[in-house]
Amino acid sequence: MLTAILFDLDGTIVNTDPIHYQAWQQMLCKYNIEIDEKFYKSRISGRLNPEIVKDILPELSSAAGREFADEKEALFRELASHLQPLNGFAELIAWTEVHQLKRALVTNAPRLNAEFMLEVLGITDSFHQIVLADDCVAGKPDPAPYQVALSKLGIPAEKAIALEDSPSGIRAAVGAGIRTIGIASTHDPNVLLEVGSFMAIPDFTDLHLWTLLNSLIEPDLIRST
């Protein structure tokens, strides 16, 4: 039986990639580095800022790299004041409440970004647990954040489902033994399936998602219909 749903934030609950892309473009332009969507998806999306900066701007010291990342995230928050959740998210939260499922947020987003997005979206109180990569021994694609979430919720992996939009997030959830659904808001659904998700959907209105969830809550009812 399903007892919990674990949510990623960026790209899963809300499609922030266009705003992150814009912020990275503006910041890297200062170093005469022009990026396109292919570059963004392969070198930036789903990765932690220290890794990104070290990869793209290896000449920066650790302190300068942190300052660069902090400035980029401040720019993101400046650009992201009108965020809206993906279609069907509110209905999914309501459904989990009806069926008394636990909910956790598991995100690589920096703390200030996570708090900002939760407030803008009006969903600060929607989760029983919030797990940030900053609070774990490693961020995604390491399974540690999901392992921490399972521990805090007090449930085994087989009783949870994770919702993720990026290959690194899917690898993290699958690595923790959690069945994972890919949200194809930012990546090709075939890519999400290839890295381990067992289903890929465009948003939370997808009928395949609801059929699955209801079957996990009321399997006898689904078999009899």
Side-chain angles (χ1 to χ4, degrees):
M1 292 288 288
L2 180 65
T3 60
I5 297 182
L6 284 59
F7 296 80
D8 174 48
L9 180 53
D10 281 286
T12 299
I13 294 175
V14 55
N15 186 8
T16 52
D17 257 35
I19 304 172
H20 281 296
Y21 177 45
Q22 183 181 352
W24 279 107
Q25 275 187 316
Q26 292 185 28
M27 292 297 297
L28 290 172
C29 187
K30 298 178 181 179
Y31 290 83
N32 297 316
I33 298 175
E34 295 184 4
I35 67 171
D36 56 16
E37 290 189 13
K38 182 179 180 181
F39 183 102
Y40 175 81
K41 287 184 177 182
S42 63
R43 303 277 293 276
I44 296 176
S45 180
R47 301 177 73 192
L48 293 169
N49 279 343
E51 299 171 352
I52 298 168
V53 174
K54 186 176 181 180
D55 176 25
I56 300 174
L57 297 169
E59 68 273 19
L60 295 185
S61 67
S62 295
R66 287 193 296 271
E67 183 178 346
F68 176 94
D70 289 345
E71 186 178 347
K72 180 265 162 183
E73 299 307 342
L75 176 59
F76 164 79
R77 293 190 295 273
E78 180 182 330
L79 297 170
S81 60
H82 302 292
L83 295 174
Q84 295 292 327
L86 260 62
N87 290 337
F89 175 74
E91 290 77 6
L92 179 55
I93 292 296
W95 181 87
T96 63
E97 291 176 346
V98 168
H99 294 286
Q100 300 182 332
L101 269 65
K102 297 179 179 180
R103 300 178 299 274
L105 183 74
V106 185
T107 177
N108 269 359
R111 186 179 305 277
L112 288 177
N113 279 16
E115 292 173 350
F116 168 82
M117 285 185 278
L118 291 174
E119 183 176 351
V120 169
L121 295 168
I123 58 172
T124 302
D125 298 324
S126 294
F127 302 98
H128 300 98
Q129 295 291 337
I130 295 177
V131 178
L132 306 177
D134 292 346
D135 299 330
C136 301
V137 295
K140 306 170 190 178
D142 193 283
Y146 277 103
Q147 292 168 339
V148 169
L150 292 172
S151 177
K152 286 188 172 184
L153 292 174
I155 62 168
E158 58 267 22
K159 291 191 176 182
I161 277 181
L163 297 164
E164 275 282 357
D165 76 295
S166 71
S168 65
I170 290 170
R171 291 189 181 100
V174 172
I178 305 170
R179 293 168 293 176
T180 304
I181 298 173
I183 307 298
S185 65
T186 55
H187 293 273
D188 186 298
N190 291 323
V191 172
L192 304 184
L193 294 170
E194 287 171 3
V195 296
S197 65
F198 71 91
M199 176 188 294
I201 59 176
D203 59 32
F204 303 113
T205 66
D206 191 276
L207 292 179
H208 294 95
L209 171 67
W210 288 101
T211 299
L212 171 72
L213 292 178
N214 284 310
S215 73
L216 295 174
I217 294 295
E218 300 175 301
D220 294 334
L221 176 63
I222 296 299
R223 280 196 293 268
S224 66
T225 59

